[in-house]
Amino acid sequence: MILSNIQSLEDQLNDFKEKWISEVDSTVSDTFQKGIDELVENQMSSNALRQGDYSIDFMLKDAAGNTVSLKEKLKQGRVVLTWYRGGWCPYCNLTLRNLQSFIPEFEKRNTKLVALTPELPDHSLTTKEKNELTFDVLTDINNEVARKYGLVFKVSDEVNSFYKKFHDLLDFNGGSGDELPLTATYVIEQNGLISYSFVDVDYRKRAEPAEIVAHLQNN
């Protein structure tokens, strides 16, 4: 197994989740769980693009103001396209650091990693520097690209009230201040076909990097 000596991302995320639940008041953890349950009940991921669909092109800027297009990236090889909610999200930071460690494995398979976030450029630059990321991190203003991919949902008032105490989404992400992208990662072939997809309404679950590499290796 690739990098089998390293703890899986799933295990790291679960360890953090259990530690967080043990440290916060139950009303807080219950509120966040209720928010996830409502997304499940409302089938918020039902409109998301999936394996077998074709990707939608976009042109977005990185924190330095450089424009990056999916079309141009695909001319160079396959693309792993992933969304993260913001640098304020510990699950996102864990995931970004894990993905960074797999960059050599992606590159061996002629694949570039691109991350999209609603996080405003100043914050996305901080996130990139904090996590020592070498791949493209692009700002998806107002979740416009995420919306085209069927990934946008409205944060419940209850959950948002907790966010505002520590990291107001309006300050970090702009827009309406109450929308976020679902957890999503795609492998996109050079012809635009999505050959692998991971979409989940539970932000504590993420695509396993080793699984992505295995897909790249076998397809």
Side-chain angles (χ1 to χ4, degrees):
M1 180 180 174
I2 300 164
L3 300 179
S4 59
N5 60 318
I6 298 177
Q7 186 186 31
S8 70
L9 175 58
E10 181 181 12
D11 287 343
Q12 292 178 53
L13 294 171
N14 285 335
D15 286 349
F16 180 85
K17 179 178 70 174
E18 291 172 7
K19 182 175 183 294
W20 181 80
I21 290 175
S22 70
E23 293 176 347
V24 301
D25 188 280
S26 61
T27 57
V28 177
S29 57
D30 288 348
T31 296
F32 278 85
Q33 184 60 55
K34 180 184 176 184
I36 294 169
D37 292 342
E38 288 175 351
L39 295 180
V40 173
E41 183 179 348
N42 294 328
Q43 300 181 316
M44 288 305 298
S45 66
S46 61
N47 293 323
L49 295 190
R50 302 277 181 174
Q51 180 179 353
D53 292 327
Y54 277 87
S55 59
I56 299 170
D57 189 32
F58 57 78
M59 295 180 66
L60 295 174
K61 291 185 177 181
D62 62 17
N66 302 309
T67 300
V68 176
S69 79
L70 177 60
K71 182 179 179 180
E72 290 303 313
K73 282 289 181 182
L74 289 174
K75 288 180 180 179
Q76 303 169 30
R78 289 184 287 186
V79 169
V80 173
L81 182 63
T82 191
W83 270 263
Y84 78 90
R85 304 174 337 141
W88 48 266
C89 169
Y91 297 95
C92 296
N93 289 319
L94 270 172
T95 302
L96 292 171
R97 288 195 293 271
N98 269 263
L99 287 168
Q100 175 64 41
S101 72
F102 277 81
I103 290 295
E105 299 295 334
F106 295 153
E107 291 182 342
K108 285 179 187 177
R109 295 158 179 84
N110 193 34
T111 302
K112 298 294 185 182
L113 175 62
V114 177
L116 268 58
T117 177
E119 198 170 39
L120 297 173
D122 285 350
H123 293 296
S124 65
L125 179 60
T126 300
T127 299
K128 185 166 185 173
E129 292 174 341
K130 177 176 65 177
N131 293 294
E132 299 180 336
L133 308 180
T134 62
F135 52 88
D136 288 316
V137 175
L138 310 179
T139 295
D140 181 16
I141 297 292
N142 295 327
N143 290 293
E144 290 182 7
V145 176
R147 206 176 310 280
K148 293 177 181 178
Y149 278 70
L151 301 174
V152 180
F153 71 95
K154 184 175 180 179
V155 179
S156 71
D157 292 338
E158 293 81 5
V159 170
N160 214 2
S161 67
F162 281 109
Y163 283 154
K164 287 179 180 179
K165 295 177 182 178
F166 305 102
H167 40 256
D168 192 329
L169 295 183
L170 187 60
D171 293 335
F172 274 80
N173 296 359
S176 61
D178 63 356
E179 289 185 332
L180 287 173
L182 297 174
T183 293
T185 299
Y186 299 106
V187 172
I188 303 175
E189 302 297 321
Q190 287 191 267
N191 65 355
L193 179 70
I194 297 172
S195 62
Y196 167 95
S197 62
F198 179 97
V199 180
D200 205 301
V201 299
D202 189 342
Y203 58 86
R204 302 167 300 186
K205 297 179 181 179
R206 306 294 170 114
E208 191 66 50
E211 182 179 296
I212 298 171
V213 173
H215 171 83
L216 294 171
Q217 185 168 306
N218 297 323
N219 291 273

